[in-house]
Amino acid sequence: MSNLPIFDVAGSAMNAQSVRLSTVASNMANADSVSGDPNTVYRAKQPIFTTEQVGNNPALQGVRATQVLDSQAQPIKRYEPGHPLADGNGYVYAPDIDPVAQMVDLISASRSYQANVEVFNSAKETALATLNMGR
């Protein structure tokens, strides 16, 4: 924790968006994966965020990813009898992941992360300018 809580607030937001970016990247990487068993198919990940107090001031709230949940959506069942992973009935199972929605989430997380980097950099420049006033 720093003496300037703005760094803690922006840092917590960058950390949370980093988790979000990682889950989206994992979802996108596994969107085309298949399995012969619906119980072993990849499940899309979704981070859960909560607020947390920053410093000693209860009015200052940061954000934290408390957990990453697996989607409860049923896998998509496709009939592909020639596929090497097909089950005894010729079906393969794919995760129910919408690549367009994942891209929207990726763009949103990326922009949120960048906005918090700008807040962090602006606060740093302000703090340095304040310190240089005494010279």
Side-chain angles (χ1 to χ4, degrees):
M1 185 183 322
S2 69
N3 289 333
L4 299 172
I6 187 69
F7 293 116
D8 297 323
V9 172
S12 73
M14 287 189 293
N15 200 13
Q17 294 306 324
S18 179
V19 170
R20 186 172 164 205
L21 287 166
S22 294
T23 59
V24 170
S26 178
N27 293 343
M28 292 294 288
N30 289 289
D32 292 328
S33 65
V34 294
S35 174
D37 180 359
N39 298 319
T40 62
V41 73
Y42 177 83
R43 301 284 182 167
K45 311 284 186 223
Q46 181 69 37
I48 304 299
F49 299 117
T50 187
T51 58
E52 65 180 357
Q53 183 176 331
V54 175
N56 297 326
N57 185 345
L60 292 175
Q61 297 288 310
V63 64
R64 183 169 59 95
T66 56
Q67 58 184 324
V68 177
L69 298 178
D70 288 343
S71 170
Q72 296 303 310
Q74 292 298 315
I76 297 168
K77 184 177 175 180
R78 296 192 310 236
Y79 185 67
E80 295 182 20
H83 195 286
L85 293 176
D87 65 8
N89 296 320
Y91 288 98
V92 292
Y93 302 88
D96 187 12
I97 296 174
D98 180 2
V100 174
Q102 292 297 313
M103 285 302 296
V104 169
D105 204 20
L106 178 74
I107 291 167
S108 175
S110 177
R111 289 187 178 167
S112 293
Y113 187 91
Q114 184 60 38
N116 283 292
V117 167
E118 293 298 325
V119 167
F120 194 91
N121 287 336
S122 294
K124 179 180 79 172
E125 289 172 12
T126 303
L128 287 174
T130 303
L131 288 173
N132 286 331
M133 288 175 65
R135 288 186 178 181

